[in-house]
Amino acid sequence: MLSLEEANELIREKFKDYPVKTEEVDVWEGINRILAEDIVASVDVPGFSRSMCDGYAVLASDTQTASEETPVLLEYRGEILPGENAGVEAKEGQCIYVSTGSMMPSGADAVIMVEQTRLQDQESVLIYKPVFNGERIIKRGDDIKNGQVLIKQGERINPKHVGALVAAGVHRVKVFARPRFAIISTGDELVDIGENPAEGQIRDTNSYALQAFIRKFGGEVVHRVLVRDNRELYQRELENAVKCADMVLVSGGCSVGIRDYTAEAINALPGEGVFIQGVSIRPGRPLIVGECMGRPVFGLPGHPIAPVILFKIVVEKLWNHIVGCIDQADVVKAVVDFDMRPAVFTHLLVQLERGEGLVRVKAAGPGNPAQTSAVSRADGYIWIKNPETGLCRGDISEVYIF
């Protein structure tokens, strides 16, 4: 049976040439989208040198002897308001009043705060402190330089990028198209969200949980269907899903029971069919991966925790590889606050607790993979690479945040 690393490597190899479309969108519509090309600044920001405070634009050399006891007297040459072109020059022995954001006059190389001066009359200003060259000035291009790469191809745009993009005049960005998912939930025991389950039935939680994780990931669900345990229905719905989506997720039906038709349905459609059937992880061991009509199809176990874990550690990783996403996983190091030797699972849902300068981690549930509530309590998961050794209280472990 393949390890998780071997399975992911094989999946990446199978779909390394998967075609992905790109599109241009407005900056504010690009949040959580992956860039399809570098964004390069075409202007300097700021486009002119400007003051960082209210005060007087001066030549620093004029102020070097200034003190509270012996202030320097400079000629007052007027004011430059924010948004105005400076249009004047500060010469030796002169100063010009500027506000925060005002354009610096030519000749001036520093700004002294207004609190460190006194306007003696409308013709002169007393300077009580020396300033150095460049003090309280943002020079042209200090923030962003023309030709500077603002965001690299493969980065995911997030709110922190927007200000710099707009400042540089970037209002359209080229991004990879959102991955389109189809979700098939299988089982005679399932009813949809708006139905009341009869005795022996349960609500279809997996497809909605997957849909939520897909949305956070930046994808969209274009097809979702609930299928009874019927061979012909399986195959028909799988074919419909493959035709409309980039990736297909089948929840349930991937074990070896007499009503588990996922592998059979995948193999019945054009394409390579199933090339992975089982991976040495828990929960999620019965994972099926196949190729139908050029599309990846994932058969996920029906237990509520397994589909979520497999989406994070297999499905997301494949799409990120296809588009060259360079985002790093959100990982926190925490102190383990429980004992689990040997570990029942390789991937364990956990909760984080912060306090006393430490981040502690505890199991999100008693460890039953059939507990839906464990997912809602979890902040992320721990990958226990050696289940035989397991975890001991006091160990430091990496927590992969949802």
Side-chain angles (χ1 to χ4, degrees):
M1 186 174 289
L2 295 176
S3 68
L4 175 61
E5 295 95 332
E6 291 169 335
N8 276 330
E9 181 59 35
L10 178 57
I11 296 167
R12 287 195 294 266
E13 180 63 25
K14 293 289 184 182
F15 297 103
K16 64 181 180 181
D17 298 321
Y18 189 90
V20 184
K21 295 180 180 179
T22 61
E23 59 184 348
E24 279 198 359
V25 298
D26 291 334
V27 166
W28 46 89
E29 293 176 348
I31 301 300
N32 206 31
R33 304 289 294 274
I34 299 172
L35 276 175
E37 63 182 10
D38 290 349
I39 297 180
V40 181
S42 59
V43 296
D44 288 326
V45 178
F48 54 90
S49 296
R50 66 190 189 197
S51 173
M52 296 176 62
C53 66
D54 296 343
Y56 292 91
V58 298
L59 281 69
S61 58
D62 284 341
T63 69
Q64 297 311 298
T65 61
S67 68
E68 291 289 337
E69 293 77 22
T70 57
V72 170
L73 185 66
L74 297 179
E75 179 188 354
Y76 176 62
R77 292 280 293 159
E79 178 181 3
I80 301 171
L81 297 173
E84 286 185 344
N85 190 318
V88 293
E89 179 183 1
K91 298 179 180 179
E92 185 177 345
Q94 297 177 342
C95 66
I96 299 171
Y97 186 83
V98 289
S99 301
T100 303
S102 290
M103 185 176 185
M104 287 293 294
S106 60
D109 56 19
V111 174
I112 183 165
M113 293 190 297
V114 68
E115 296 91 336
Q116 297 165 345
T117 68
R118 182 163 62 88
L119 184 62
Q120 188 163 329
D121 48 46
Q122 291 303 311
E123 296 183 355
S124 60
V125 177
L126 289 172
I127 308 297
Y128 290 96
K129 186 177 180 182
V131 290
F132 58 82
N133 189 306
E135 187 168 344
R136 298 187 181 89
I137 293 176
I138 300 178
K139 295 183 179 179
R140 176 174 180 153
D142 269 359
D143 192 350
I144 298 169
K145 286 184 168 39
N146 188 351
Q148 178 182 335
V149 176
L150 299 176
I151 316 177
K152 293 181 179 179
Q153 177 179 335
E155 281 194 70
R156 192 180 296 273
I157 302 174
N158 62 53
K160 72 179 183 182
H161 294 125
V162 173
L165 293 176
V166 173
V170 177
H171 66 280
R172 300 279 289 178
V173 291
K174 187 176 182 180
V175 296
F176 289 106
R178 295 184 187 276
R180 299 167 302 156
F181 287 86
I183 302 175
I184 302 173
S185 279
T186 66
D188 289 337
E189 75 279 13
L190 299 179
V191 298
D192 211 345
I193 191 170
E195 300 178 46
N196 291 319
E199 200 72 28
Q201 293 182 318
I202 58 174
R203 292 186 176 89
D204 169 31
T205 60
N206 286 359
S207 68
Y208 289 98
L210 286 169
Q211 188 165 347
F213 276 92
I214 287 168
R215 176 172 291 187
K216 182 178 180 182
F217 171 62
E220 58 181 334
V221 175
V222 296
H223 181 73
R224 189 188 68 82
V225 64
L226 188 59
V227 179
R228 302 302 175 196
D229 289 326
N230 177 283
R231 182 180 283 104
E232 289 72 26
L233 280 175
Y234 249 70
Q235 188 166 330
R236 184 169 69 245
E237 291 298 344
L238 179 58
E239 183 174 1
N240 291 338
V242 168
K243 288 179 178 178
C244 71
D246 297 306
M247 295 187 180
V248 179
L249 309 180
V250 182
S251 173
C254 63
S255 191
V256 292
I258 59 174
R259 293 178 180 272
D260 292 322
Y261 302 126
T262 300
E264 182 181 337
I266 293 172
N267 288 330
L269 292 176
E272 181 177 345
V274 173
F275 59 85
I276 292 177
Q277 192 159 11
V279 178
S280 58
I281 57 175
R282 299 189 302 272
R285 189 182 182 92
L287 170 69
I288 290 174
V289 186
E291 181 263 307
C292 294
M293 302 164 64
R295 300 289 192 263
V297 179
F298 299 89
L300 311 177
H303 289 306
I305 290 179
V308 170
I309 292 291
L310 289 169
F311 180 81
K312 297 296 293 182
I313 67 177
V314 177
V315 180
E316 269 193 19
K317 286 186 177 295
L318 172 59
W319 187 258
N320 284 341
H321 178 76
I322 288 172
V323 298
C325 181
I326 58 177
D327 283 2
Q328 299 296 313
D330 188 4
V331 180
V332 172
K333 287 191 176 182
V335 179
V336 176
D337 204 21
F338 59 90
D339 292 304
M340 187 178 284
R341 300 182 66 184
V344 179
F345 304 118
T346 59
H347 292 77
L348 180 69
L349 295 181
V350 293
Q351 290 176 290
L352 296 176
E353 293 183 343
R354 293 175 170 83
E356 300 179 356
L358 291 175
V359 180
R360 296 187 179 276
V361 62
K362 65 179 184 179
N368 185 344
Q371 287 194 332
T372 307
S373 61
V375 179
S376 67
R377 289 192 296 269
D379 296 305
Y381 64 89
I382 290 176
W383 182 5
I384 307 171
K385 296 185 179 182
N386 189 345
E388 295 302 319
T389 304
L391 294 170
C392 294
R393 191 182 304 274
D395 286 350
I396 304 296
S397 184
E398 291 185 334
V399 179
Y400 294 82
I401 304 300
F402 282 154

